């Protein structure tokens, strides 16, 4: 079912594309970003199909202007294949390439139509002022070049520095949108009884742990600030381990680890055996960790086992910029925070697969040698790599605030319409679009 275009939607300036396409939207960022993008594309003459899987999806993109999938996961490939054929879908749009339903859709539709374009959104590589949009995959599945010579010789490396307009903080708005979306997921649960959330514990457990987490937030932040100030004032040399979430798809799909605990086991053991005895290991918790896993207790047990209890510091949060500014080097699985370390020309070792884990950027001789003989990133290569990433994968803007969405939308539309495709399916792209957020959407979201 196509998206009806309300009279309140302002027409988009600029030439329309030479031939309309059909965009099939699956799950996107929590909030109205995908709905507004669909309205904007419809205003330019494209056909839009949306699939909702749960009540939160339906709140973000109201039914009946979307199709509802109410079956079991193993029924979805045949269902989405029939839907795509019925609407002659040319483009698939989704957030993240690791969710089971998204993986199933890509595999099914690519078999049916190999030239189908898969547009994958993700949080920005270069944060906080950008979002990511790539064809076919993101993160470890990105099509970004891996050859340092090719990066240095790329046209983007010689171009003017790409700068981003600041995007206002989005965490509070994102939290409000998440609460609303999860509330409707429960309220409409009777309509989607066979839906299985892509996170193992489900949204109910996520909400409960977050309520407990937020209740203790002021005291926790004060304690973290006190311990961080004490650490920095001591002048003690330290390495910084950057934790991720146990639910992070980059950990689960693109690393040898199945949990953060496994990462800590390897890191603490190597530190205890190979790091200089006068150094500390500071383990920084992820800012969105919900407190479900007792990382501090696990870390204390590991430190005691390896005889380094006095040399391990756990911070349940902390100021990333200040901590990086004083450390000897950083250890990560594949967090985007690793890019911040490279930006400061710090030694960085990556234990998973990451877009920035390249010869000349990261330490690639193993964790054990990192503590005493780390390889420094080459500044010219980093700057060239950042230019390539910004030009080919990043869109200035955000998913959650009105300002961030309005900033991102023109470039997103341009990228979607200009994406290369088989001539049998698609015509030449139109010119750059301009975007005005629908007044009704702005008022109601």
């Amino acid at each position: 079912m196509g998206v009806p275009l309300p009279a309140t939607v302002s027409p988009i300036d600029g030439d329309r594309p030479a031939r309309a396409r059909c965009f099939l939207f699956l799950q996107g960022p929590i909030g109205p970003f995908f709905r507004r993008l669909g309205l904007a594309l419809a205003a330019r003459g494209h056909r839009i199909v949306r699939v909702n899987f749960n009540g939160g999806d339906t709140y973000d993109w109201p039914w009946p202007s979307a199709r509802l999938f109410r079956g079991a996961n193993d029924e979805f490939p045949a269902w989405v294949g029939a839907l795509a054929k019925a609407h002659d879908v040319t483009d698939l749009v989704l957030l993240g390439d690791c969710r089971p339903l998204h993986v199933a859709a890509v595999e099914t539709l690519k078999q049916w139509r190999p030239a189908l374009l898969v547009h994958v959104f993700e949080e920005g590589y270069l944060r906080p002022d950008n979002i990511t949009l790539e064809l076919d995959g993101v993160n470890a599945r990105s099509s970004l070049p891996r050859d340092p010579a090719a990066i240095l010789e790329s046209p983007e490396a010689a171009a003017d520095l790409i700068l981003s307009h600041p995007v206002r903080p989005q965490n509070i708005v994102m939290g409000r949108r998440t609460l609303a979306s999860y509330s409707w997921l429960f309220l409409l649960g009777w309509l989607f009884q066979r839906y299985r959330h892509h996170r193992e514990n489900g949204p109910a457990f996520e909400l409960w742990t977050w309520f407990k987490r937020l209740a203790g937030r002021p005291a926790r932040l004060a304690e973290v600030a006190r311990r961080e100030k004490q650490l920095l004032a001591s002048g003690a040399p330290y390495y910084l381990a950057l934790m991720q979430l146990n639910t992070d798809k980059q950990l689960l799909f693109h690393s040898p680890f199945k949990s953060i605990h496994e990462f800590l086991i390897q890191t603490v053991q190597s530190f205890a055996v190979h790091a200089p005895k006068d150094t500390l290991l500071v383990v920084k918790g992820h800012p969105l960790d919900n407190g479900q896993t007792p990382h501090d207790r696990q870390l204390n047990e590991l430190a005691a086992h390896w005889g380094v209890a006095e040399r391990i510091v756990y911070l349940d949060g902390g100021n990333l910029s200040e901590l990086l500014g004083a450390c000897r080097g950083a250890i990560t699985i594949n967090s985007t925070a690793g890019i911040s370390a490279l930006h400061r020309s710090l030694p960085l070792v990556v234990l998973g697969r990451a877009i920035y884990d390249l010869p000349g950027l990261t330490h690639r001789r193993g964790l054990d040698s990192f503590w005493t003989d780390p390889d420094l990133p080459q500044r010219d290569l980093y700057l060239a790599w950042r230019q390539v990433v910004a030009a080919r994968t990043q869109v200035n803007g955000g998913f959650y605030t009105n300002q961030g969405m309005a900033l991102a939308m023109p470039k997103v539309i341009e990228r979607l319409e200009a994406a290369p495709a088989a001539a049998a399916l698609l015509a030449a792209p139109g010119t750059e679009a301009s975007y005005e957020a629908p007044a009704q959407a702005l008022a109601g979201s």
Side-chain angles (χ1 to χ4, degrees), residues 39-88:
L39 290 172
L41 289 169
R44 289 179 59 77
H46 299 291
R47 291 174 293 118
I48 305 299
V49 183
R50 158 74 172 196
V51 177
N52 288 340
F53 299 93
N54 58 53
D57 293 344
T58 304
Y59 172 77
D60 289 338
W61 194 319
W63 178 79
S65 64
R67 300 294 297 269
L68 307 185
F69 176 70
R70 301 172 61 197
N73 282 10
D74 59 2
E75 299 170 353
F76 182 63
W79 186 91
V80 75
L83 179 70
K85 292 175 185 177
H87 290 273
D88 194 26

Side-chain angles (χ1 to χ4, degrees), residues 25 72 78 96 101 139 170 173 242 317 325 350 384:
F25 283 77
L101 291 169
N139 294 304
Q170 303 186 86
V173 176
L242 303 168
V350 178

Side-chain angles (χ1 to χ4, degrees), residues 202-346:
F205 186 81
E206 290 278 330
L207 275 179
W208 171 241
T209 54
W210 267 110
F211 276 128
K212 292 193 299 181
R213 180 78 164 168
L214 292 174
R217 185 172 184 268
R220 185 179 67 256
L221 292 183
E223 174 62 15
V224 170
R226 184 192 68 79
R227 297 188 67 193
E228 181 183 320
K229 182 178 180 180
Q230 184 180 48
L231 169 71
L232 297 176
S234 72
Y238 67 88
Y239 303 91
L240 184 65
L242 303 168
M243 292 178 63
Q244 295 170 229
L245 302 177
N246 277 318
T247 56
D248 189 342
K249 294 294 189 292
Q250 305 316 308
L251 180 154
L252 299 174
F253 286 83
H254 303 308
S255 87
F257 308 114
K258 297 302 179 185
S259 68
I260 288 297
H261 188 224
E262 292 184 7
F263 164 70
L264 293 177
I265 290 173
Q266 180 175 336
T267 303
V268 172
Q269 177 182 352
S270 179
F271 172 79
V273 175
H274 298 283
K277 302 306 180 185
D278 64 337
T279 59
L280 305 177
L281 175 64
V282 178
V283 180
K284 181 189 179 301
H286 193 281
L288 295 181
D289 192 287
N290 60 16
Q292 172 192 348
T293 303
H295 296 303
D296 52 348
R297 178 169 58 81
Q298 293 179 347
L299 193 59
N300 289 337
E301 292 172 354
L302 287 171
H305 175 78
W306 287 100
V308 289
E310 302 300 320
R311 298 170 56 202
I312 302 288
V313 177
Y314 175 66
L315 295 175
D316 192 2
N319 186 306
L320 177 63
S321 179
E322 291 183 358
L323 290 169
L324 284 173
C327 76
R328 283 192 172 187
I331 307 96
T332 184
I333 300 173
N334 47 24
S335 170
T336 53
I339 299 173
S340 296
L342 295 177
H343 193 69
R344 291 165 174 77
S345 298
L346 288 171

Side-chain angles (χ1 to χ4, degrees), residues 153-188:
E153 296 169 2
S154 66
E156 293 90 346
D160 292 337
L161 184 65
I162 298 174
L163 301 175
S164 298
H165 295 288
V167 175
R168 290 192 287 271
Q170 303 186 86
N171 286 347
I172 293 177
V173 176
M174 180 179 68
R176 290 204 307 263
R177 296 196 189 281
T178 300
L179 181 60
S181 181
Y182 277 17
S183 297
W184 280 100
L185 188 149
F186 298 128
L187 290 172
L188 295 181

Side-chain angles (χ1 to χ4, degrees), residues 100-113:
L101 291 169
H102 289 176
V103 172
V106 171
E107 291 177 350
T108 299
L109 300 189
K110 278 290 193 179
Q111 288 177 4
W112 162 64
R113 175 166 276 174

